Amino acid sequence: MTQSAAEEWPEPPLAGTEATAVIGALERQRATLAWKTSGLDAAGLRATVGASSVTLGGLLKHLAHVEDSHFARLWLGVPVGEPWDTVDWDNDPDWAYRTAAQDTPEQLRTLWRESTARSRAVVEEALSTGDGLDQLGAYVTRAGERPNLRRILLDLVEEYARHVGHADLIRESVDGLTGEDPG
């Protein structure tokens, strides 16, 4: 194992706007995942708990895909880029989890960090218009509905919260690290 210092812990504002509260909650979940996967070598990122095949590395790769796909597909209405665009998701829906063991810890962390950076840039650009969380994304459902930015961000908060729970269990099994806040 390698050691890693915890990054500054983000805290959503106690009395901020709706946008800053939702983004703050998402940033706290992102920081928790970063902390739960920090300082581990390849073996630590490949560890599993019980009968589950989910790994910390798999979570990093999966959540990188979720970040990219939510904003590309739902918000911008464009195809998802590399490496996601070459995957046959219909025949290999667990590709991100399955292939994470082939990547180095740094590749996984870089993939995730770059995906979150792209997401942050998209959200910052969207919010710079002054239209807030009610703005509609480009994706249109069969019923003709479009998700607003609020829904996309809340879906990400939910996705992270579920997987941070998995990360808690896996990380504790690796080296005993527990808790939510490294501070």
Side-chain angles (χ1 to χ4, degrees), residues 83-162:
W84 324 115
D85 58 348
T86 60
V87 177
D88 181 357
W89 293 103
D90 290 333
N91 289 318
D92 197 358
D94 292 329
W95 179 85
Y97 289 110
R98 185 181 56 74
T99 63
Q102 300 165 13
D103 301 320
T104 67
E106 190 52 39
Q107 288 171 321
L108 291 167
R109 290 183 183 107
T110 298
L111 180 69
W112 179 75
R113 280 193 305 265
E114 289 174 353
S115 294
T116 60
R118 283 188 291 276
S119 294
R120 287 181 183 110
V122 167
V123 171
E124 184 177 328
E125 173 67 25
L127 291 176
S128 74
T129 67
D131 294 330
L133 299 179
D134 290 326
Q135 300 175 67
L136 297 178
Y139 178 77
V140 180
T141 68
R142 289 184 196 136
E145 297 178 305
R146 294 169 46 199
N148 62 22
L149 185 56
R150 176 185 301 102
R151 172 61 187 264
I152 295 168
L153 288 168
L154 289 173
D155 283 355
L156 281 173
V157 170
E158 178 185 8
E159 185 79 5
Y160 269 93
R162 287 180 41 239

Side-chain angles (χ1 to χ4, degrees), residues 29-71:
Q29 294 299 323
R30 286 173 173 156
T32 302
L33 181 73
W35 180 51
K36 293 293 180 172
T37 60
S38 69
L40 295 176
D41 59 13
L45 290 178
R46 291 181 187 134
T48 60
V49 174
S52 175
S53 62
V54 174
T55 66
L56 292 170
L59 290 173
L60 282 170
K61 197 166 188 176
H62 167 71
L63 287 166
H65 176 244
V66 169
E67 293 268 2
D68 280 337
S69 66
H70 270 56
F71 287 106

